[in-house]
């Protein structure tokens, strides 16, 4: 049963299995339950994420856990991202935007490992998460709980880090920031944050977009790879992270122009040539799209509407002239 703060019924749900835990954040409710069927030695869990006002299920599926582990903690970050922490110290996040970095959070419902604690996090008691870090109270012995009245104690921060391997160190920070930025943009645009914080977040989001948003770190990474003569990786950064679906054609053309300038400044003529080829191909596709019959039909329709408006105006003028003559 879902009720308002004053006790007014809002909805009733029948869950597929026994409920393990329930957590909420503003308009969101995350429910974790046991998977129906015979119980196995290791827990088999499912989750469902609901938007209460719209009365819709936003995501659902299996809740992944590390082999041989159990669920220790579930909550939301301050940016409305669902989080799950297992007994092996692995923190997983459920991005809501579905538009983070390519291959990361490709759709709502995909959990991603974002942190792994040392010693399985046995002495860490999760409290909250904000700005790309899980904040925990550190107890003195395994299995202990924080003592009553311990609020205000300095918390230990476990920073998020995507498990991409040491070869992707430079790219990891960029992808992590892109993922978090996509989540932040999504919850701000859909008013999922508390009113006071949502206003400040909206202003910060506008400033970030005005400064180039998440593209500047990617261009910096591209520049670094070009200077190190890692030309294949630099080109892949352009293809995989700058020219991506969901970005406007004009913006992609501008990013390719910027990347070409960076390659020219680094004196990487071969890299610059390949980027210029991408720019030319994209510009040709854009011109073909604008010249397609559908767009032409839309333009003709607009012209016909203008002609009809002109005819209507002429008829109105004639009617006024007749009235004056009478």
């Amino acid at each position: 049963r879902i009720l308002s703060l004053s006790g007014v019924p809002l909805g009733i749900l029948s869950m597929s299995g026994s409920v393990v835990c329930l957590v909420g954040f503003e308009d969101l409710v995350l429910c974790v339950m046991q998977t129906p069927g015979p119980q196995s030695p290791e827990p088999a869990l499912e989750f469902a994420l609901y938007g209460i006002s719209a009365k819709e299920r936003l995501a659902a599926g299996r809740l992944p856990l590390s082999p041989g582990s159990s669920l220790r903690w579930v909550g939301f970050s301050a940016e409305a991202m669902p989080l799950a922490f297992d007994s092996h110290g692995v923190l997983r996040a459920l991005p809501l935007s579905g538009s983070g970095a390519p291959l990361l959070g490709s759709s709502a419902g995909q959990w991603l490992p974002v942190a792994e604690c040392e010693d399985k996090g046995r002495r860490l008691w999760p409290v909250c998460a904000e700005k790309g870090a899980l904040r925990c109270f550190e107890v003195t012995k395994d299995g202990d709980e924080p003592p009553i009245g311990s609020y205000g104690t300095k918390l230990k921060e476990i920073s998020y880090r995507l498990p991409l391997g040491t070869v992707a160190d430079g790219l990891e920070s960029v992808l992590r920031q892109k993922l978090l930025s996509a989540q932040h943009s999504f919850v701000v645009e859909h008013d999922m944050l508390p009113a006071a914080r949502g206003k400040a977040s909206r202003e910060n989001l506008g400033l970030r977009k005005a400064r180039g948003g998440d593209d500047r770190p990617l261009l910096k990474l591209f520049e670094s790879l070009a200077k190190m003569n890692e030309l294949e990786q630099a080109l892949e950064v352009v293809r995989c992270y700058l020219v991506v679906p969901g970005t406007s054609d004009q913006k992609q053309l501008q990013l390719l122009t910027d990347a070409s300038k960076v390659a020219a400044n680094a004196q990487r003529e071969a890299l610059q040539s390949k980027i210029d080829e991408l720019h030319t191909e994209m510009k040709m596709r854009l011109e073909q799209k604008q010249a397609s019959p559908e767009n032409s039909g839309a333009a003709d329709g607009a012209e016909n509407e203008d002609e009809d408006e002109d005819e209507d105006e002429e008829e109105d003028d004639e009617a006024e002239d007749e009235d004056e003559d009478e």
Side-chain angles (χ1 to χ4, degrees), residues 126-171:
V127 176
C128 62
E130 186 177 10
K131 297 179 180 179
L134 177 68
R135 297 180 179 178
C136 305
F137 185 92
E138 197 166 12
V139 297
T140 55
K141 294 188 299 183
D142 294 356
D144 273 3
E145 296 184 6
I148 297 175
S150 59
Y151 296 103
T153 306
K154 185 177 180 180
L155 302 176
K156 181 175 181 177
E157 289 194 355
I158 308 298
S159 298
Y160 297 173
R161 181 177 177 81
L162 301 173
L164 300 178
T166 55
V167 294
D169 278 346
L171 191 56

Side-chain angles (χ1 to χ4, degrees), residues 43 65-66 68-72 85-88:
L65 297 173
S66 303
S69 71
S70 59
L71 183 64
R72 279 186 57 190
F85 188 62
D86 68 28
S87 59
H88 281 193

